[in-house]
């Protein structure tokens, strides 16, 4: 971060400039259409999911989906996704094993992202909607900026794309707060650079939240955002909770790290023959989900899908779950999640949070560790392990816990930090990548994807993947408007966001 004496004049100059004021106005205006499209995108995805896993089995005379239900639908998901990944621009979005979000996608990649998310996630893919939403937000924002017919340099284009991502992701994270914290922490910016990026993102997500809330009340549609309908009971942690909590957080981080390692291995296996092996990967996910239902006699939807609904049921009554069922959920959903990370399309966070919460409830059987603290530390540890962002994970966990969060905050912070450190220590140093990333151009919507859209060493906590775009006051020290980034021309959308230049997370 630049010293205050140097940063303040630069910041005043930037904020007073006509270009930045136009950027703020554009970001505020973009928040409305991005949230509008995101609302119906997520609502449609959830409606299809409810039909596939609740309405249709009931219409066929089943009390709940039978154990074999995931098998044909995951096969269908693989058959739908394979041509999207191999033939459509952008390849249906970034590989989730590489992190929360890849490079901001261009407008050409949007159809593939929408098809992959809407037609495969409801079929039982063990991934969340957060990464497709971020891709949708950045693509719509860049498309709207292009329609203004005013050229954007690389820096302004990256800021607009980030604002679109923030507006979109805030729709399922409970509002602008978590999204803003995520952007600050993931970007690694301070001083002038933080303000330059944060203000447009806040405006876009704030305007989007107004639209999102209004449409939710008006239409009565549900979006399946990450929330607990019934918060866990209030509980004040004691010394035993902290003594057990630290090793429990380390254990949960190791579980999540193992799932991410499985995802990276799966991606490397799929890469030589992307089409047929994508189908095989989807079938393997279906086998894991079906095995959970067959062995436990429970609903296969608990091990399938993103996990928001199951997380709410677990939080509402954790004692209704036998320990054996929770262990089976951790095993089979964790395997299905790891396979999905490497071969399918979606977001990595939501399923990992359910796995972490289930592991935390299992650990609560230890003497002196309460159920509420166990669940709290499980959510925080899993989120920090998969994103590499302990601050964002702590804020997200506190918001999820609701009224009982005040007393859990110290334990939540401890768990997030421990999990972040343990995951980094468990990650093997990666070798220097050879050549360019195989799908960098496709990720920006410039052509058909090859096998995948980024190198195997990408950061799991990355919001924007890779690139070199810099912001005022960032570690790179680039001057405002320097245009450093992947876009060489003034009207070329950037292919990278504020994550550039960060040390790799696990």
């Amino acid at each position: 971060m630049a010293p205050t004496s140097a940063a303040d004049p630069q910041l005043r100059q930037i904020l007073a400039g006509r270009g930045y004021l136009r950027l703020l106005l554009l970001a505020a205006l973009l928040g409305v259409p991005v949230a509008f499209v995101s609302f119906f995108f997520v609502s449609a995805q959830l409606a299809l999911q409810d039909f596939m896993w609740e309405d249709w089995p009931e219409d066929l005379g089943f009390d709940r989906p039978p154990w074999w239900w995931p098998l044909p639908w995951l096969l269908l998901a693989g058959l739908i996704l394979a041509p999207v990944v191999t033939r459509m621009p952008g390849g249906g979005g970034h590989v989730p094993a590489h992190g929360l979000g890849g490079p901001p996608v261009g407008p050409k990649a949007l159809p593939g992202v929408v098809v992959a998310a809407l037609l495969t996630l409801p079929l039982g893919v063990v991934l969340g909607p957060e990464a497709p939403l971020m891709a949708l937000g950045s693509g719509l924002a860049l498309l709207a900026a292009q329609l203004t017919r005013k050229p954007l340099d690389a820096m302004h284009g990256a800021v607009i794309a980030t604002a679109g991502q923030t507006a979109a992701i805030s729709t399922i994270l409970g509002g602008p707060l978590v999204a803003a914290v995520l952007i600050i922490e993931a970007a690694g910016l301070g001083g002038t650079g933080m303000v330059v990026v944060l203000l447009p993102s806040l405006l876009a997500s704030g305007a989007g939240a107004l639209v999102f809330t209004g449409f939710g009340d008006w239409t009565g549609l549900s979006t399946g955002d990450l929330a607990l309908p019934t918060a866990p009971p209030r509980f004040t942690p004691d010394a035993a909770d902290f003594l057990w909590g630290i090793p429990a957080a380390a254990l949960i981080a190791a579980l999540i790290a193992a799932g991410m390692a499985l995802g990276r291995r799966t991606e490397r296996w799929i890469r030589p023959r992307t089409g047929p092996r994508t189908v095989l990967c989807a079938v393997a996910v279906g086998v894991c989900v079906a095995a959970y239902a067959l062995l436990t006699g429970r609903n296969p939807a608990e091990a399938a899908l993103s996990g928001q609904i199951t997380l709410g049921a677990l939080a509402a009554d954790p004692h209704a779950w036998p320990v054996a069922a929770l262990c089976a959920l951790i095993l089979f959903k964790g395997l299905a999640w790891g396979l999905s990370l490497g071969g399918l399309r979606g977001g990595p966070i939501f399923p990992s949070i359910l796995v972490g919460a289930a592991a935390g409830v299992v650990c609560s059987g230890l003497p002196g560790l309460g159920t509420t603290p166990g669940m709290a530390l499980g959510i925080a540890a899993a989120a920090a392990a998969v994103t590499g962002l302990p601050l964002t994970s702590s804020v997200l966990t506190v918001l999820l816990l609701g009224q009982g969060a005040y007393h859990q905050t110290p334990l939540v912070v401890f768990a997030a930090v421990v999990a972040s450190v343990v995951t980094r220590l468990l990650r093997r140093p990666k070798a220097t990548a050879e050549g360019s990333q195989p799908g960098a151009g496709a990720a920006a919507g410039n052509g058909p994807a090859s096998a995948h859209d980024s190198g195997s060493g990408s950061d799991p906590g990355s919001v924007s993947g890779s690139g070199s775009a810099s912001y005022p006051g960032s570690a790179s020290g680039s001057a405002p408007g320097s245009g450093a980034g992947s876009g060489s021309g003034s009207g070329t959308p950037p292919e990278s966001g504020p994550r550039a230049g960060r040390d790799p997370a696990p």
Side-chain angles (χ1 to χ4, degrees), residues 146-255:
Q146 290 177 6
L147 294 178
T148 63
R149 297 184 179 180
K150 292 185 178 180
L152 292 174
D153 60 28
M155 186 196 76
H156 288 158
V159 172
I160 285 296
T162 304
Q165 287 180 327
T166 312
I169 195 66
S170 66
T171 58
I172 57 170
L173 292 181
L177 178 60
V178 178
V181 174
L182 185 150
I183 291 299
I184 294 172
E185 188 176 16
L189 299 174
T192 302
M194 182 186 70
V195 177
V196 169
V197 177
L198 180 61
L199 292 183
S201 299
L202 279 175
L203 282 175
S205 58
L210 291 175
V211 175
F212 200 81
T213 303
F215 267 95
D217 294 338
W218 177 48
T219 62
L221 296 175
S222 175
T223 57
D225 55 336
L226 189 59
L228 300 180
T230 303
R234 296 186 182 183
F235 188 93
T236 302
D238 53 22
D241 293 314
F242 281 90
L243 290 175
W244 284 118
I246 293 176
L251 173 62
I252 292 169
L255 290 173

Side-chain angles (χ1 to χ4, degrees), residues 259-325:
M260 293 189 294
L262 175 60
R264 293 189 293 272
R265 288 179 177 270
T266 302
E267 185 219 353
R268 290 194 295 269
W269 175 74
I270 286 177
R271 194 181 300 164
R273 300 183 64 189
T274 302
R277 291 186 178 182
T278 296
V279 178
L280 291 177
C281 179
V283 172
V285 171
V287 170
C288 292
V289 175
Y292 166 80
L294 184 62
L295 292 177
T296 62
R298 299 180 65 92
N299 193 331
E302 294 172 353
L305 307 168
S306 61
Q308 300 109 298
I309 297 175
T310 306
L311 179 63
L314 178 62
D317 191 4
H319 299 290
W321 289 69
V323 174

